[in-house]
Amino acid sequence: MTSHAGLRGSAFLRACRREPVPHTPVWFMRQAGRSLPEYRRVREGVAMLDACRRPDLVTEITLQPVRRYGVDAAILFSDIVVPLKAVGVDLDIKPGVGPVIARPIRAEADLGQLRGLEPDDVGYVTEAVQSLVGELGATPLIGFAGAPFTLASYLVEGGPSRNLENTKALMYGNPGLWELLMTRLADIAGAFLRVQVAAGASAVQLFDSWVGALPAADYARFVRPHSERVLATVGELGVPRIHFGVGTGELLGQLGSAGAEVVGVDFRVPLDEASRRVGPDRALQGNLDPAILFAPWDAVARRAREVLVSGRAAPGHVFNLGHGVLPDTDPDVLARLVDLVHEESAA
Ligand code: 1CP
């Protein structure tokens, strides 16, 4: 689906495929968003979910960090709950809070909220991706979806949650309903990724942000088969797949064998150790602590160099933060970081 000829030489796509690169590619999770004044300007008076459904705004917001930073990849401006909203789940993204679900899923009858996702449900995503691929030229676009566990956590809790107590109560207490819920969410996530690749996205990332809340054995039993299925449904499309979670030190071996070509690593495990845990035939993405960007530049540069050196232990490395850009991050620091990564890694 990489229709633009220049994309074949993309440092980002090459690193994902463990091919030699001219420099270590870099992009940032949440590179679009509140840390950018140009983002705050275009979002003024437009609700988050409305912005996600306007191809003109999605295109502009996705391009903003590419223009400003010269990152090696763009990530579609959207949210993990967009496909849920598209199939009719009554939810909103509240400023300063995050996704809030009107009727949390706690019993089998609540599953009626979750039908399958058809491409026509998200025509605005197809339109935005097509427009972006034209504008981006040789810069690849990453599509994404929330993984079933992380989506389930919002649907069951009703919103962001520190302890995921309702999610775990359902998972451990009603495994039958849990399977049904996870199966539906895997179908929706897989369909959402396929829509983005069909429209021209060059890679996909599966965000399982909160899966670090589970012990390895429970991840293997209750979650992994569903994430594997999502990854498998995009496997035949031939684009690199990135599998990301936070606090996944104990899960890295399983993430390495769940199907993705690239495993995202948060800032808690150095990349050389992460590569040992993930296995020799997987590229890594990560893993500078986003909070380090608030330290003086010397400290930022020192830690960024350590990430680059540690990343050489992996057969492919995409530089990123260990989690998303924090809203108060100084954009100038991110710009300097991109330059540092490019200059210090140039062959
Ligand atoms: O009004 C606003 O600006 C709302 C803030 C915001 C933004 C900019 C939200 C609400 N979502 C987004 C965009 C978004 N969400 C992107 C854009 C692309 C990019 O990275 O630049 C992506 C990839 C997401 C995915 C997402 N949403 C995740 C997975 C990534 C992660 O950070 O772990 C998660 C967990 C969400 C839920 C969500 N949406 C928004 C918020 C504030 C949250 C987190 C709430 C919580 O703490 O649970």
Side-chain angles (χ1 to χ4, degrees), residues 6 14 29 39 62 66 123 134 156 172 185 191 193 201 220 239 243 269 283 288:
R14 293 186 63 88
M29 292 179 274
Y39 169 81
T62 302
V66 178
V156 177
Y172 293 118
L185 292 174
L193 291 179
V239 301
H243 196 173
V269 182
L288 189 70

Side-chain angles (χ1 to χ4, degrees), residues 27-34 39 43 48 75-81 93-99 144 150 154 159-161 207 209-210 244 246 323-324:
W27 69 280
F28 303 115
M29 292 179 274
R30 299 285 177 99
Q31 63 190 8
R34 267 196 297 164
Y39 169 81
R43 274 291 314 283
M48 177 66 191
I75 181 159
L76 182 73
F77 179 76
S78 186
D79 192 82
I80 57 170
V81 298
I93 295 182
K94 296 242 181 337
V97 180
F144 72 90
T150 291
Y154 289 101
S161 156
F207 280 97
S209 304
W210 311 136
F244 169 78
V246 179
H323 199 182

Side-chain angles (χ1 to χ4, degrees), residues 7-29 31 69-74 138-142 203 205 240 242 262-263 271 283-288 304 307-309 311-312 314-321 334 337-347:
L7 280 170
R8 276 196 292 275
S10 143
F12 166 74
L13 294 174
R14 293 186 63 88
C16 291
R17 298 192 197 104
R18 309 187 301 280
E19 296 166 0
V21 287
H23 59 261
T24 301
V26 49
W27 69 280
F28 303 115
M29 292 179 274
Q31 63 190 8
Y69 302 130
V71 281
D72 295 277
T139 302
L141 176 69
I142 303 169
Q205 177 155 326
I242 308 167
V262 185
V263 174
L271 291 177
L284 297 184
Q285 176 174 282
N287 72 345
L288 189 70
V307 170
L308 282 172
V309 168
R312 286 193 207 120
H317 176 211
V318 175
F319 192 102
N320 205 312
L321 304 178
L334 286 173
L337 180 57
V338 170
D339 291 345
L340 180 147
V341 171
H342 284 164
E343 282 159 19
E344 306 230 350
S345 66

Side-chain angles (χ1 to χ4, degrees), residues 64-330:
Q64 284 175 346
V66 178
R67 287 189 204 116
R68 186 189 265 261
Y69 302 130
V71 281
D72 295 277
I75 181 159
L76 182 73
F77 179 76
S78 186
D79 192 82
I80 57 170
V81 298
V82 164
L84 302 179
K85 181 85 179 174
V87 300
V89 178
D90 185 356
L91 65 86
D92 198 6
I93 295 182
K94 296 242 181 337
V97 180
V100 177
I101 316 293
R103 290 186 293 127
I105 294 185
R106 304 277 169 84
E108 191 152 352
D110 302 324
L111 282 183
Q113 298 179 62
L114 289 178
R115 63 167 173 82
L117 180 81
E118 301 296 332
D120 283 349
D121 295 323
V122 285
Y124 45 86
V125 171
T126 296
E127 206 181 309
V129 170
Q130 285 171 343
S131 132
L132 274 164
V133 169
E135 297 269 342
L136 282 163
T139 302
L141 176 69
I142 303 169
F144 72 90
F149 179 81
T150 291
L151 292 176
S153 78
Y154 289 101
L155 287 172
V156 177
E157 301 296 335
S161 156
R162 182 179 286 269
N163 298 315
L164 305 182
E165 57 267 50
N166 297 294
T167 312
K168 290 183 176 182
L170 196 153
M171 187 179 90
Y172 293 118
N174 191 345
L177 176 56
W178 178 257
E179 283 299 306
L180 292 175
L181 172 61
M182 292 290 276
T183 300
R184 290 203 190 185
L185 292 174
D187 287 341
I188 291 171
F192 192 53
L193 291 179
R194 285 196 302 275
V195 163
Q196 295 169 74
V197 175
S202 297
V204 294
Q205 177 155 326
L206 190 62
F207 280 97
D208 212 350
S209 304
W210 311 136
V211 82
L214 295 180
D218 297 332
Y219 177 77
R221 174 170 170 207
F222 293 110
V223 177
R224 179 183 162 161
H226 302 283
S227 293
E228 280 178 342
R229 200 156 62 79
V230 178
L231 292 165
T233 61
V234 281
E236 66 200 21
L237 304 179
V239 301
R241 295 161 291 176
I242 308 167
H243 196 173
F244 169 78
V246 179
T248 55
E250 297 297 324
L251 306 178
L252 285 173
Q254 297 192 61
L255 295 185
S257 58
E261 286 71 23
V262 185
V263 174
V265 183
D266 81 359
F267 50 86
R268 291 170 180 85
V269 182
L271 291 177
D272 50 358
E273 172 59 21
S275 187
R276 279 189 287 278
R277 295 186 192 180
V278 160
D281 56 352
R282 292 290 181 260
L284 297 184
Q285 176 174 282
N287 72 345
L288 189 70
D289 185 344
I292 283 175
L293 301 178
F294 292 77
W297 173 250
D298 281 356
V300 178
R302 193 168 60 242
R303 297 306 292 263
R305 288 188 188 105
E306 285 171 15
V307 170
L308 282 172
V309 168
S310 193
R312 286 193 207 120
H317 176 211
V318 175
F319 192 102
N320 205 312
L321 304 178
H323 199 182
V325 172
L326 296 165
D328 293 327
T329 305
D330 178 353

